[in-house]
Amino acid sequence: MRSEPLLLDFFELLRSRGVPVTVREWMTLVEAMSKGLVAADLRRFYAIARATLVKHERYYDAFDQCFAHYFAGADAPPALKAALDEWLTAPLPLPQLSEDELAALERLTPDELRKRFEETMRQQTERHDGGNRWIGTGGTSPFGNGGVNPAGMRVGGAGGGKSAIQVAAQRRFRDYRSDIVLDTRQIGAALRKLRRLSREGQREEVDIDGTIAATAKNAGDIEVVLQPPRENNLKVLLLMDVGGSMEPYALLVSRLFSAAHAASHFREFHHFYFHNCVYEAVYRDARMSDALSTVELTRWLQPETRLIFVGDAHMAPYELTAPFGAIDYYVQNRENGLDWMRRVARHFKHRVWLNPLPGRFWAHPTIHALGELFPMYELTLDGLEKAVERLLGLPTPLEERAA
Amino acid sequence: MLLENFTGTDDYIASPELQEAVNVALALERPLLLKGEPGTGKTLLAQSVARALKRPLHTWHVKSTSRALDGLYIYDAVQRLHDSRFQDRDVRDIRQYIRFGALGRSFLADEPSVVLIDEIDKADLEFPNDLLHELDRMSFTVMETGDVHQAKQRPLVVITSNNEKELPDAFLRRCIFHFIAFPERELMARIVAVHHPHVRQTLLDEALARFYWLRTLPELRKRPSTSELIDWIGALVKGGIAEDELTARVPFLGTLIKKEQDLDAVRRRGRGWVR
């Protein structure tokens, strides 16, 4: 039997599973229930809880799992249904929190949050109507310790169809999870954040404020002032590992490539291929016949260019550390791969590495070595978003430790 | 108070979860944010809600250049400047140069309305945040005149997003959210029936089977959506296509697949189709 207010531990469960529910959203749900919208119908409760608590389809699956887990249980004895009815339809006092209080609450850890929340609820209810409806002391609470555990029961009348739990347990939204799937559109959305706006180039947009000021100065005779439009000033370089161990990720990498290529908002977008490690040259084509020397690449592209490596960084250690260690026999590298990679890292101030291998497989010497030079992220939507943030950030000090 | 209740309309089929989301947004007077693949009926929903509740609809199509202020009002400084040169109108009266946008009009109206802010993700990243205050308080100030307009009747605000950009957290926290999942076959059959009531059941079954097969192809850059399916079935009916023709090929493929690379991909797959 639960001794806590109903749902508070559901709220915590959601947060512990990575669904970013805030107090404000939780209050919205409480408000919906206090207006009697939910009635004693778990299926409606499911729909309303999801609509008020979850703000991105990527969390639908986690929400469904939590819901199925929390509300799973045997059918409720009919006597309990009345208790649930009463709870769900009873008007609940709503604490009035200011913006600042809400913001402060959102910064707390789950434990602190619960404590603060309970305190707030207790104070607020006392001040507002002297009752003690929320927190379960003395058995007056509609939740928890009165021996009623509405969480564990399935209320009938779900409209003939599947129960909410069955619906939730179907995991219909598994494909929308951000830690698994990446489609072209999602990648495009993530890449769109990669921008830095500035006014450069042709003056072709009317500067309203400037025009008004100039016209006023001109004693009311209209003088039009033009300015260049705001445009993204970012240049992006994509270096992709092809062949060998990257084969299984070919589709994923091609999606990333086509999204980046279609992202029309970059000032410049360049892409090259390599195999396992960059040595003397990178290649304009995936068959690696059209080469551009790595020295030429760094001379041509400014250090401000954002560099995105895509590869598993997984290779035999000698490919990285030994002269002439390249896996392809026609690549004759006098200097070892790590030196070449260091040279690339030293040139590009903003650089990341996207690795299609899940992070738990990164305990490998070459992945580790390259991860020190290039901040490494998983090639998932979460990883890509973090990488984009990193690329926009301030210049990072070079990892000179290994040098 | 009798709560308004939305259950869909004759020509718009809403899932139970979507109906709940609409009703929560109505009861709590919060904006309703709708996301989903293009062609899942996000824009249609606002029209359908307005019709079901017999409320007027104010639509605001957001563009990449839209500013949050545009939805409230536009101050036509250029017109005023122009008038001042030729003395057409009394330029001292600023109010005649204030034109109200969709959201502004809904605040001023005497009856409750529905406001559709369509494709909010097209605008700048900061755009949704600039609307927070107005959506929270349902009031705005015309800076040029100092007039404060408080909504007489809080409108239902429906916001759609095609997922082109992520929306700011502060904005999301205030919204009721619903993601319109792509309809499953059963629901899709009902949606098609609304648009093509006289299509033969056998043809519909074959067409849906083909359609959902196309959507499973991983190499497609853009998967066909509901509106394309409806057009396609319309074309099949008009073209007098028989059911068995669908097992061998996909007639009028161009109505379903719009990208050249995708057309090639489907043609390469053509033979391998097994149901």
Side-chain angles (χ1 to χ4, degrees), chain A residues 206-271:
Chain A
V206 179
D207 174 1
I208 301 283
D209 292 339
T211 300
I212 292 170
T215 303
K217 226 178 249 172
N218 221 4
D221 213 17
I222 291 180
E223 182 166 334
V224 176
V225 176
L226 297 173
Q227 63 186 358
R230 274 172 12 128
E231 267 170 14
N232 193 1
N233 205 18
L234 273 196
K235 300 170 185 175
V236 174
L237 169 64
L238 182 65
L239 292 178
M240 290 171 284
D241 185 357
V242 283
S245 55
M246 283 296 286
E247 280 298 326
Y249 310 110
L251 186 64
L252 190 58
V253 174
S254 96
R255 280 181 184 159
L256 176 71
F257 171 72
S258 72
H261 201 61
S264 51
H265 66 293
F266 299 135
R267 175 108 170 259
E268 288 175 24
F269 172 71
H270 307 284
H271 66 279

Side-chain angles (χ1 to χ4, degrees), chain A residues 20 74 90 111 328-329 337 344 391:
Chain A
D111 270 359
D328 296 303
Y329 70 95
V344 172
L391 285 175

Side-chain angles (χ1 to χ4, degrees), chain B residues 23-67:
Chain B
N23 290 328
V24 171
L26 270 171
L28 303 186
E29 301 175 325
R30 301 283 160 90
L32 173 64
L33 173 64
L34 293 174
K35 270 173 41 174
E37 270 187 52
T40 41
K42 298 184 290 295
T43 306
L44 281 178
L45 174 86
Q47 294 165 359
S48 153
V49 171
R51 206 143 15 92
L53 302 177
K54 299 194 171 56
R55 289 181 176 201
L57 176 70
H58 302 283
T59 306
W60 179 12
H61 296 289
V62 177
K63 302 190 183 73
S64 63
T65 53
S66 291
R67 297 169 312 151

